[in-house]
Amino acid sequence: MLEDMKRFAIYYIIIGVGVLVCSYLQVTFWTLAAKRQARRIRLLFFKASLRQNIGWFDVNPAGELSTRLADDVDKIENGIGDKVGILFQLTAQTIACIVIGFYYGWLLTLVILATSPLIAIAAAAMDWVSKESTVQEQAAYAEAGGVAEEVLSAIRTVIAFGGQSKECERYNSKLEKAKKHGIKKGTISGLAMGSVMLVIFLSYALGFWFGSGIVLKQYLPELHQDFTTGRMLIVFFSILIASFSFGQAGPAVNDLATARGAAHFVFNLIERVPEIDIESEEGEKPSHVTGKIEFKDVHFQYPSRPDVKVLQGLNLEVDVGKTVALVGSSGCGKSTTVQLIQRFYDAVSGSVLLDGRNLTSLNVRWLRSQVGIVSQEPVLFATTIAENIRYGRDGVTDEEIEKAAKEANAHSFIDNLPDKYETLVGSRGAQLSGGQKQRIAIARALVHSPKVLLLDEATSALDTESEQSVQDALEKASHGRTTIVIAHRLTTVQNADLIVAIKDGQASEQGTHGELMKLDGLYASLVKKQMKKESKHNTNAAADSESDDDEEEELEKEMQLQRTMSQKKSDMSRRVLSVSSTQNETVNVEANGDKKEESEKADSVGFLELLSWNSQEWYLIMFGCFGSLIVGGSQPAFAVVFSKILSTFISCNEETMRTNANFWSGMFVVIAVGMFFATTLERLMFSIAGERLTERVRMNAFKAYLRQDIHFFDDPKNGTGALTTRLSVDANAIQGATGPQLGGLFNALANLGVGIVIAFVYSWVLTLAILAFAPFIGIAGFIEMKVFRGGGTKDKESFEESGKIAAESISNIRTVQGLGKEKLFYELYAKTSDAPYQKEVKMTQGLGITFGLSQGIIFFAYAALFYLGAYLIASPDRPEALALDFEGMMITFSAVIFGAMSLGQATSFAPNYQKGSAAAAMIKKLIETEPLIDAYSNDGTTLAKYEANIEFKDTVFHYPTRPSVRVLKHLSVSVEPGQTLALVGSSGCGKSTTVQLIERFYDVDEGVVNVAGHDVKSLNVAWLRTQIGLVSQEPILFDRSIEENIKYGANHREVSMEEVKEAAVKANIHEFITSLPDGYATRVGDKGTQLSGGQKQRVAIARAMVRNPQILLLDEATSALDSESESVVQQALDNASKGRTTVVIAHRLSTVRNADKIAVIRHGHVTEEGTHDNLMAQKGFYYKLQNIQKLQE
């Protein structure tokens, strides 16, 4: 016997070496293939996202795409690769075992396999439900991710209007849907897996019961003349191994089903060819372009609002090299024409022509390369100023960048920054003022040098001092180019070659300024309305006209001299950075900072503390652990029953054999029933507990994000894309490290503990020998199940940087496509995701080696332990006290080996505990962090009655991200209750900063800001903000209905529909809203893209009106309005200001002449202060600004 066992031990060692090598090859190469496929899918998905036409984005929220890019592709990767190899392995193993079973005992094999349809039905049900639930769950999480991205990208608006609670409710409603689908998936999965275990153990009972009858020749003896106990054991073990193989395939099949669900949307988008295809090489690419534009009977409505016709037979002709101005009320279709020229949309009927060629016949990418645009709300990307300008044209040099900046009057403020052109502008340019952003956007357009120039309110955000020089630069840039100007300020277009007045989507009048004034039609009425506003100033200005002329002439000469000198200045000698290298360096620096900070955070949460996060579900955890204990104890029970049955068949007594076979087969039935209920209970309880925890963690993390002050969001590493990725990744990691982790622990402890006790009872020597291998077998089981469940090499946090790029480019898709930079962002995304990919590839080699060792070590253990067991049974040299029989050896061996394997398998069912602990530490720190300016705090004074005066006393301030640049330098200014204070000055002088300090987005470094006689630091933050109404220069609307956007102005109370309509009437938007098919229920689209700039601005004004605030902050509140609307809205704002303390920031000085006090801010402090008449009499800087504006008009 020992010699035979020695030979078999050698066979085991040879098999183990073969398994080691083959396992390494299987896992390594399948995993590498999966990672390469996932990378290609990720890149293709991102590329396809950038490829889609704007009409598609109108009806598909951009925020969802970033979430799907992060989560869905990971699920696809998790379901392919080594999973396919494992399925091949287990399928081959199952088929081989069944063939062997049929060869040695076809009848018994058939009987046992008769139960397989039940297993197949349960597995198919689990597969189908998992796939469907995954699709629904991912869709819900994508919606939640879309909400998070929308809110975090508009965080200033949310904070200003106290919308944190409302946004949390909206986010939570999406999570609730995802939780229900997740629980549904867990419930069906538990029932299906419980049914599988029930059927498998019942098939064991049936096999032994029926097999013993065949051996005893009680059943169909004529069919099995030579069926021995040995053959029966071969059949049973073959089917047993086949059953285990089938069971082990469960996770792989489940992941494959999940991957199929996730792939549905991803592959559909990749394969979708948009109607307007930027990637297509089709279409003409004329070698020569003159730039003639024609609109012929163009009809158009937006895809998201098919019932609202925007253009209704527009006819327009723009001759080569001419400047055509489009004027008219907001929403009349002016900006739509710009989008049709860029071919963001195609006309429903009629045609748009370039040089006589229909735009639909031209290559899309080529067409957009011929068009330059400066839009009303410029979008800058989270990189340096130089790179933002460089986006205007490929291959542009530093000298050309600086030249364009000088022409756009941006060089002086850039040169004053510490990092100059290498200054990071922040997400969407948040670190710059509106005027500074506009000037950089203009520089970007100027460096483009296009054939057709589109200026959509290009100077709306500029101060008077800058506007004239920039207007000159734009007029110079338009020479020799076909230029279309959209302007509400009609004085800026009076010199246009052709002015077209648009009404109701048609060109109602065309001609020069003089011709249209003679017509006395629509254009003349718009001009008269604007002139009427200026008339109040004419009388005052007349007295100063004589001296004005001299001053204007002197100032104009000075400005001309400045322009001449700026063009002759030697270029800056600066290091040249390509687009990709600059971005990469920025990304790498931020990534290193991230990793350093995360490593500091992720080391403090222990298992018990982590477990307490699930404490609300203690009863679910308790029942789940109870199920785990039963499942864990069933393995040693199976080992005992199995060994007893083996010893039964060694007995020669037929009657005893029959009796024992019946009894132990009955024990299998008991274990089967117990396994069904325990497995179902365990999976169901942990599924509910896990989904609730995930929902709660996401909710609390999102709430904690919204609690942070603006400084937190200014930090480059806290970009919108990074924060939304963390919301998803960290919550999932924590879920895996709590409930399921505990269940696996109880399962393993019960399994191994009971197994060791049983084993020591039968043979302590063999048990100790087995335990020497137990750590290796446990590690082997861990690695094996890690591979089965797709863990091991995925480090989602490494993809945060590429996630930022994806989120930023997709959310600003109009700018990306307008600049034709899809390829650049694709290449940038590919580069930033390459390092994590290479890291994963290296880790895959290590996983392959460890998996190979894990598979081989079991065979080496078999060789040693079976030989030792044979020695204890048969060797004459063994001590008598250590003697062992066959039954004892099998019980000892089976009990400990199954326990050791389950120890590894059970702990690997949860995602990496260390990752969960690190994620929990980060979330914990986030939740426990109390920002310096805490909107959730109840601290601070709230005033029942107060006089709303505002005072800045010797205020010094710098932005936290630019500590070396002081924005305010001992600023002192005040406004009395009910009065209006106007702040004027150059872009970047600190005007908008004062608004942010009143809102308490930041705290001052020195000095004090008083509201109602109290330092704002002593007032309750949330209460303070409810007293303030804000209308900003670039209003942000949410992807909700118009009604909901207006109600957003008063989140602290219920707002009636009557109040909404009243506010809309005041903002001159009510008639437009009621003309829409859905009225106030009309959705405004992502960031309000379904409305024109003027319409968005008026909705934002209505939002401020409904708040009925004591303090009104107007930061260029009418900059985007046309003349027809502006006077009405200005009157509404004037009325709204009555009885309220109002701070107005304006570049258009005509809007602030009636202010009670005007303060001129230069270089961070007040240089002049008084009424309009007082300041004009002083003939200082304000006087000069007025004269520059008078020249323009």
Side-chain angles (χ1 to χ4, degrees):
M1 181 178 180
L2 277 177
E3 287 302 316
D4 288 341
M5 204 61 235
K6 185 176 181 180
R7 187 175 76 254
F8 288 131
I10 293 172
Y11 289 162
Y12 268 127
I13 292 172
I14 294 171
I15 292 170
V17 172
V19 166
L20 188 154
V21 174
C22 292
S23 297
Y24 164 75
L25 295 175
Q26 172 191 319
V27 168
T28 300
F29 287 102
W30 277 108
T31 304
L32 283 175
K35 298 212 172 291
R36 288 175 179 172
Q37 289 179 73
R39 177 166 169 76
R40 279 198 295 271
I41 291 170
R42 191 174 277 111
L43 293 177
L44 286 170
F45 182 74
F46 181 59
K47 191 174 186 179
S49 299
L50 296 179
R51 179 188 186 185
Q52 300 310 308
N53 56 298
I54 298 299
W56 185 87
F57 280 99
D58 287 344
V59 293
N60 292 276
E64 291 187 11
L65 294 180
S66 304
T67 303
R68 290 188 181 277
L69 187 63
D71 289 349
D72 287 15
V73 179
D74 284 345
K75 284 183 168 58
I76 294 171
E77 179 186 339
N78 198 33
I80 59 177
D82 56 280
K83 297 295 187 302
V84 180
I86 288 166
L87 285 175
F88 276 133
Q89 171 198 330
L90 297 177
T91 302
Q93 194 168 299
T94 302
I95 293 172
C97 288
I98 291 173
V99 169
I100 292 171
F102 272 107
Y103 178 78
Y104 283 96
W106 62 268
L107 181 60
L108 180 59
T109 301
L110 278 177
V111 169
I112 296 175
L113 289 179
T115 60
S116 59
L118 297 175
I119 298 176
I121 290 171
M126 184 168 64
D127 175 69
W128 183 81
V129 172
S130 293
K131 178 174 177 278
E132 292 300 311
S133 297
T134 298
V135 171
Q136 295 167 336
E137 186 180 20
Q138 287 306 110
Y141 276 131
E143 288 180 18
V147 170
E149 183 167 339
E150 181 183 36
V151 170
L152 294 173
S153 64
I155 192 65
R156 278 175 164 78
T157 302
V158 174
I159 290 175
F161 287 99
Q164 293 97 327
S165 297
K166 183 173 286 187
E167 297 303 349
C168 285
E169 288 174 12
R170 185 159 67 117
Y171 183 70
N172 297 350
S173 68
K174 306 297 183 185
L175 293 182
E176 182 66 26
K177 286 169 59 179
K179 181 185 75 173
K180 289 178 180 177
H181 294 307
I183 291 174
K184 176 185 173 185
K185 182 171 71 173
T187 303
I188 302 299
S189 174
L191 286 169
M193 188 52 68
S195 300
V196 168
M197 300 306 295
L198 173 68
V199 174
I200 286 175
F201 278 92
L202 287 178
S203 68
Y204 295 164
L206 178 62
F208 275 118
W209 178 78
F210 190 76
S212 63
I214 296 176
V215 171
L216 297 174
K217 296 186 171 43
Q218 294 175 344
Y219 310 121
L220 306 173
E222 65 279 4
L223 297 179
H224 276 283
Q225 295 295 333
D226 56 349
F227 193 74
T228 63
T229 299
R231 280 177 171 266
M232 190 204 75
L233 290 178
I234 290 173
V235 171
F236 182 80
F237 271 111
S238 296
I239 304 305
L240 174 67
I241 293 170
S243 300
F244 274 132
S245 300
F246 191 86
Q248 283 181 318
V253 171
N254 191 39
D255 287 336
L256 191 57
T258 299
R260 287 167 57 205
H264 177 75
F265 180 89
V266 173
F267 286 178
N268 280 347
L269 183 65
I270 290 173
E271 293 169 2
R272 183 182 185 273
V273 178
E275 298 85 357
I276 303 171
D277 188 4
I278 190 72
E279 295 294 329
S280 174
E281 292 300 322
E282 295 179 3
E284 300 177 60
K285 300 178 182 178
S287 57
H288 178 67
V289 180
T290 58
K292 183 176 182 180
I293 300 285
E294 293 176 85
F295 285 76
K296 290 188 175 180
D297 195 30
V298 173
H299 291 257
F300 177 75
Q301 63 261 7
Y302 287 98
S304 56
R305 295 209 304 269
D307 299 331
V308 181
K309 285 192 173 183
V310 181
L311 299 182
Q312 305 179 52
L314 177 67
N315 288 287
L316 175 64
E317 188 172 314
V318 185
D319 290 329
V320 178
K322 300 296 184 181
T323 297
V324 173
L326 305 181
V327 300
S329 305
S330 288
C332 69
K334 303 186 300 297
S335 294
T336 300
T337 61
V338 168
Q339 300 192 66
L340 291 177
I341 293 171
Q342 290 180 284
R343 211 179 162 210
F344 283 168
Y345 305 93
D346 281 336
V348 175
S349 63
S351 55
V352 183
L353 308 177
L354 174 63
D355 290 350
R357 297 180 177 91
N358 195 317
L359 296 189
T360 56
S361 69
L362 297 174
N363 179 268
V364 180
R365 187 179 294 280
W366 175 89
L367 169 66
R368 290 177 184 166
S369 71
Q370 308 302 311
V371 178
I373 181 167
V374 182
S375 62
Q376 169 173 322
E377 296 177 14
V379 170
L380 300 185
F381 297 96
T383 181
T384 63
I385 292 173
E387 293 309 315
N388 270 288
I389 298 174
R390 202 186 303 274
Y391 286 162
R393 176 166 57 87
D394 294 335
V396 65
T397 65
D398 281 2
E399 290 75 15
E400 290 173 310
I401 288 173
E402 189 172 330
K403 180 182 177 185
K406 287 176 179 176
E407 289 179 353
N409 198 31
H411 176 73
S412 57
F413 91 80
I414 296 172
D415 203 42
N416 287 329
L417 297 171
D419 296 326
K420 299 184 171 23
Y421 284 84
E422 295 305 313
T423 301
L424 291 169
V425 303
S427 177
R428 297 178 68 84
Q431 298 301 310
L432 303 177
S433 72
Q436 290 168 342
K437 285 199 291 183
Q438 191 78 291
R439 281 181 279 175
I440 291 173
I442 292 169
R444 183 170 64 192
L446 293 178
V447 86
H448 183 34
S449 232
K451 293 293 184 184
V452 178
L453 189 59
L454 307 176
L455 306 176
D456 188 356
E457 279 291 326
T459 60
S460 63
L462 298 181
D463 57 87
T464 308
E465 189 179 16
S466 304
E467 186 180 10
Q468 182 61 52
S469 57
V470 174
Q471 192 67 43
D472 288 346
L474 291 175
E475 288 178 6
K476 189 190 302 178
S478 66
H479 289 162
R481 293 188 178 94
T482 303
T483 306
I484 295 179
V485 182
I486 295 174
H488 294 140
R489 203 179 315 177
L490 302 182
T491 53
T492 63
V493 299
Q494 289 180 0
N495 296 327
D497 299 300
L498 181 69
I499 298 173
V500 180
I502 298 178
K503 185 176 183 181
D504 298 328
Q506 295 178 326
S508 63
E509 298 173 6
Q510 297 188 34
T512 64
H513 171 73
E515 292 169 349
L516 294 181
M517 290 303 291
K518 287 178 184 177
L519 276 178
D520 198 26
L522 175 62
Y523 176 77
S525 68
L526 293 174
V527 172
K528 288 173 183 176
K529 283 183 180 179
Q530 202 165 74
M531 289 175 66
K532 189 177 180 181
K533 286 179 58 185
E534 308 295 331
S535 62
K536 292 181 182 179
H537 175 60
N538 288 343
T539 305
N540 296 332
D544 299 319
S545 61
E546 190 174 320
S547 59
D548 282 358
D549 292 339
D550 297 334
E551 184 67 27
E552 287 160 8
E553 184 178 352
E554 181 184 338
L555 193 60
E556 183 60 30
K557 285 179 181 178
E558 182 184 336
M559 291 171 62
Q560 183 62 41
L561 180 62
Q562 277 187 344
R563 287 197 292 274
T564 305
M565 288 177 63
S566 69
Q567 290 167 2
K568 291 182 179 179
K569 271 186 183 177
S570 59
D571 293 319
M572 295 165 62
S573 55
R574 298 168 55 247
R575 180 168 55 95
V576 179
L577 289 175
S578 68
V579 172
S580 58
S581 66
T582 300
Q583 287 276 16
N584 267 341
E585 286 190 21
T586 301
V587 165
N588 288 338
V589 169
E590 291 176 18
N592 291 337
D594 273 9
K595 288 175 184 174
K596 182 178 179 183
E597 184 162 335
E598 286 173 11
S599 66
E600 292 171 358
K601 293 178 184 176
D603 57 0
S604 60
V605 174
F607 179 74
L608 291 177
E609 183 179 1
L610 192 57
L611 181 61
S612 68
W613 289 37
N614 237 147
S615 59
Q616 293 183 31
E617 291 74 36
W618 66 268
Y619 56 97
L620 297 173
I621 299 289
M622 185 180 71
F623 282 117
C625 290
F626 178 69
S628 296
L629 286 171
I630 296 174
V631 172
S634 66
Q635 288 287 4
F638 168 78
V640 171
V641 173
F642 177 70
S643 301
K644 290 290 184 181
I645 287 179
L646 287 183
S647 64
T648 293
F649 284 101
I650 294 174
S651 170
C652 296
N653 187 328
E654 292 187 2
E655 184 177 346
T656 303
M657 186 186 297
R658 178 74 274 172
T659 302
N660 287 346
N662 289 342
F663 175 77
W664 293 115
S665 296
M667 288 297 100
F668 268 131
V669 173
V670 173
I671 293 174
V673 174
M675 283 290 283
F676 169 75
F677 286 109
T679 303
T680 303
L681 182 68
E682 176 192 20
R683 297 219 168 190
L684 176 60
M685 294 297 104
F686 284 131
S687 173
I688 297 172
E691 292 297 333
R692 286 185 182 176
L693 176 66
T694 302
E695 179 190 39
R696 191 161 57 248
V697 167
R698 286 187 188 237
M699 284 167 48
N700 289 338
F702 185 66
K703 184 178 180 182
Y705 281 145
L706 298 191
R707 181 187 187 184
Q708 302 308 309
D709 52 28
I710 296 297
H711 179 202
F712 175 85
F713 298 98
D714 286 344
D715 192 329
K717 76 172 183 293
N718 293 326
T720 301
L723 296 182
T724 51
T725 301
R726 287 180 213 162
L727 273 176
S728 171
V729 173
D730 291 349
N732 290 337
I734 292 169
Q735 176 190 347
T738 51
Q741 182 76 14
L742 186 65
L745 182 64
F746 271 86
N747 191 321
L749 288 176
N751 199 330
L752 190 59
V754 175
I756 289 173
V757 170
I758 293 172
F760 267 110
V761 169
Y762 283 89
S763 174
W764 64 270
V765 175
L766 187 59
T767 301
L768 288 177
I770 295 171
L771 286 177
F773 279 96
F776 300 103
I777 297 172
I779 293 170
F782 175 84
I783 295 170
E784 181 180 355
M785 289 307 296
K786 196 75 173 178
V787 171
F788 283 176
R789 297 190 63 83
T793 64
K794 174 57 63 181
D795 182 11
K796 289 185 180 180
E797 289 158 6
S798 299
F799 287 93
E800 255 187 29
E801 296 305 325
S802 54
K804 289 179 187 176
I805 293 167
E808 184 178 37
S809 55
I810 292 172
S811 64
N812 298 314
I813 190 66
R814 289 170 187 265
T815 304
V816 172
Q817 290 195 357
L819 294 170
K821 292 301 172 188
E822 299 90 347
K823 185 179 179 183
L824 183 145
F825 277 98
Y826 169 77
E827 290 173 351
L828 186 56
Y829 179 81
K831 280 194 174 186
T832 52
S833 62
D834 185 62
Y837 164 70
Q838 295 298 338
K839 179 182 174 184
E840 287 189 345
V841 167
K842 291 178 182 177
M843 291 173 67
T844 299
Q845 298 288 342
L847 181 67
I849 293 170
T850 53
F851 182 69
L853 288 170
S854 75
Q855 297 300 290
I857 193 73
I858 294 174
F859 288 92
F860 303 148
Y862 288 167
L865 298 176
F866 275 123
Y867 184 79
L868 176 61
Y871 170 81
L872 293 175
I873 292 172
S875 174
D877 300 329
R878 74 183 191 280
E880 193 60 33
L882 302 181
L884 188 64
D885 59 13
F886 175 75
E887 178 182 317
M889 189 202 81
M890 289 305 299
I891 289 176
T892 303
F893 179 80
S894 302
V896 181
I897 289 292
F898 287 155
M901 290 179 68
S902 71
L903 176 64
Q905 293 174 2
T907 53
S908 67
F909 265 101
N912 188 294
Y913 167 74
Q914 188 176 5
K915 184 181 287 188
S917 177
M922 292 170 66
I923 297 267
K924 177 188 175 187
K925 182 161 186 176
L926 172 69
I927 292 172
E928 292 179 351
T929 298
E930 294 187 8
L932 292 175
I933 304 171
D934 187 1
Y936 293 173
S937 172
N938 291 321
D939 294 342
T941 307
T942 59
L943 307 175
K945 292 182 180 180
Y946 63 93
E947 297 288 326
N949 62 305
I950 300 172
E951 183 180 18
F952 286 79
K953 278 186 180 179
D954 206 27
T955 303
V956 176
F957 175 74
H958 70 267
Y959 286 100
T961 52
R962 297 207 299 271
S964 60
V965 180
R966 282 190 173 184
V967 181
L968 300 183
K969 303 171 184 177
H970 302 286
L971 176 79
S972 294
V973 68
S974 63
V975 57
E976 294 303 312
Q979 292 191 346
T980 297
L981 167 67
L983 303 178
V984 300
S986 308
S987 286
C989 69
K991 303 186 301 297
S992 294
T993 300
T994 60
V995 168
Q996 301 191 66
L997 293 176
I998 294 169
E999 283 275 4
R1000 209 181 165 207
F1001 288 169
Y1002 304 95
D1003 281 336
V1004 297
D1005 303 329
E1006 300 175 23
V1008 68
V1009 179
N1010 285 332
V1011 171
H1014 294 73
D1015 187 338
V1016 290
K1017 295 179 183 178
S1018 69
L1019 297 172
N1020 179 267
V1021 179
W1023 175 85
L1024 171 66
R1025 290 172 182 161
T1026 62
Q1027 308 305 303
I1028 300 171
L1030 172 66
V1031 182
S1032 61
Q1033 185 171 319
E1034 295 177 19
I1036 291 179
L1037 303 183
F1038 297 99
D1039 188 9
R1040 300 177 172 188
S1041 67
I1042 294 174
E1043 176 190 346
E1044 290 171 312
N1045 270 286
I1046 295 175
K1047 284 184 175 180
Y1048 205 87
N1051 287 309
H1052 58 291
R1053 62 182 178 86
E1054 287 295 323
V1055 179
S1056 66
M1057 194 62 205
E1058 289 71 24
E1059 289 179 277
V1060 170
K1061 290 179 179 177
E1062 183 182 345
V1065 169
K1066 287 181 180 178
N1068 194 31
I1069 190 73
H1070 175 71
E1071 289 185 12
F1072 163 74
I1073 297 172
T1074 53
S1075 70
L1076 297 172
D1078 296 329
Y1080 281 87
T1082 303
R1083 296 189 74 86
V1084 303
D1086 185 32
K1087 297 182 177 68
T1089 51
Q1090 297 306 303
L1091 302 180
S1092 72
Q1095 290 162 353
K1096 283 167 60 177
Q1097 191 75 294
R1098 283 181 283 168
V1099 172
I1101 292 170
R1103 180 171 64 189
M1105 293 294 95
V1106 84
R1107 197 174 183 84
N1108 196 23
Q1110 292 295 309
I1111 298 169
L1112 197 58
L1113 306 178
L1114 306 176
D1115 188 356
E1116 279 292 327
T1118 62
S1119 64
L1121 298 181
D1122 56 88
S1123 303
E1124 189 176 6
S1125 302
E1126 186 186 5
S1127 59
V1128 179
V1129 175
Q1130 189 63 50
Q1131 184 61 45
L1133 291 175
D1134 290 342
N1135 292 336
S1137 301
K1138 290 176 181 176
R1140 292 188 175 92
T1141 305
T1142 306
V1143 177
V1144 182
I1145 294 172
H1147 293 143
R1148 207 179 312 179
L1149 302 183
S1150 59
T1151 62
V1152 299
R1153 288 174 186 149
N1154 296 325
D1156 299 294
K1157 182 189 290 185
I1158 299 172
V1160 178
I1161 299 178
R1162 298 193 71 189
H1163 310 301
H1165 62 273
V1166 175
T1167 58
E1168 300 172 30
E1169 188 175 347
T1171 64
H1172 168 75
D1173 293 337
N1174 291 339
L1175 295 179
M1176 290 299 291
Q1178 291 178 24
K1179 295 189 178 182
F1181 188 70
Y1182 179 80
Y1183 176 82
K1184 293 180 181 180
L1185 292 178
Q1186 280 285 357
N1187 282 295
I1188 293 172
Q1189 199 165 83
K1190 183 181 174 185
L1191 281 173
Q1192 295 173 358
E1193 295 166 357

